Amino acid sequence: MMHKSALLGLALASSVLVGCAGKTTAPEQYSGFLADYSQLQPLEAASGEPVLRWVADGFDVNNYASIMVEPVCFHPKPQPSEQVSAQVIDDICRYSQQRLTAELAKVRPIVQQASSDTLVVRAALTAVTTANEEWQPYEVVPVTLVVAGAMIAAGKRDQQVSLYFESEAVDGGTSQPMLRAVRKAFGENLSNKDAQLTLNDVKPVINRVTRDARLVLQ
């Protein structure tokens, strides 16, 4: 008969396996930042990571002479927590705006006011979450599951950081949407549930997402 501690470990492990986050944003996680999510299709970003995207028929970036980037921040505005401070929230917004603007400036000149030949880009971070890191295949063996389950109970397992992004590009003359995208991306793991999130933990993922945004338009 299996020892009680082993049964407890397997039960904890099973609950994590069932609750593991997927690689894309689930419909119940949509923020409402976009007016319509119904046409999104699963695709692969230039970085090879999964993304949900819709592109209007006939969309051609060559029809636009400039790009305007609206302010990037969280939607809805999150409440600071023990792991994510108000300062870090502001830092993430500021860095996301800087990187998106810098990347899109490689496609078209950036302007501060839209005209009929401007592509207007709206983007928001819709969540930043920390959760127990996803199980790797080599961990799915009874002895390791018991140990990993105990680490979860003790709060010592790495915390996986996820950022959620939603964005759209609209025609500056008609206000018609040309492109919409929803993205879930992963940052650096925190060492445990008490570790503080910093901007450096998410810089690499913001860099990847904004670079992919540029490549969609080139």
Side-chain angles (χ1 to χ4, degrees), residues 88 91-93 95-96 197-204 206:
V88 168
D91 290 344
I92 291 173
C93 291
Y95 186 76
S96 298
L197 181 75
T198 70
L199 176 60
N200 286 335
D201 294 321
V202 297
K203 273 186 175 181
I206 293 171

Side-chain angles (χ1 to χ4, degrees), residues 83 129-134 151-152 155-162 187-195 197:
Q83 279 191 297
T129 63
T130 58
N132 291 318
E133 67 174 342
E134 292 188 312
M151 290 175 67
I152 292 171
K156 295 180 180 179
R157 189 173 177 81
D158 283 359
Q159 297 285 296
Q160 187 174 61
V161 178
S162 304
E188 298 296 323
N189 282 3
L190 303 182
S191 59
N192 59 66
K193 67 181 181 62
D194 296 318
L197 181 75

Side-chain angles (χ1 to χ4, degrees), residues 7 77 95 97 125 130 135 142 153 195 204:
L7 285 172
K77 186 175 182 179
Y95 186 76
Q97 174 80 32
L125 297 101
T130 58
W135 296 87

Side-chain angles (χ1 to χ4, degrees), residues 72 74 88 91-100 103 125 163 165 183 185-187 198-213:
V72 179
F74 281 93
V88 168
D91 290 344
I92 291 173
C93 291
R94 188 178 305 108
Y95 186 76
S96 298
Q97 174 80 32
Q98 291 171 351
R99 291 311 311 155
L100 183 60
E103 288 290 347
L125 297 101
L163 268 71
F165 300 85
R183 175 89 173 263
F186 300 96
T198 70
L199 176 60
N200 286 335
D201 294 321
V202 297
K203 273 186 175 181
V205 66
I206 293 171
N207 293 345
R208 285 199 313 276
V209 170
T210 54
R211 178 178 178 273
D212 284 344

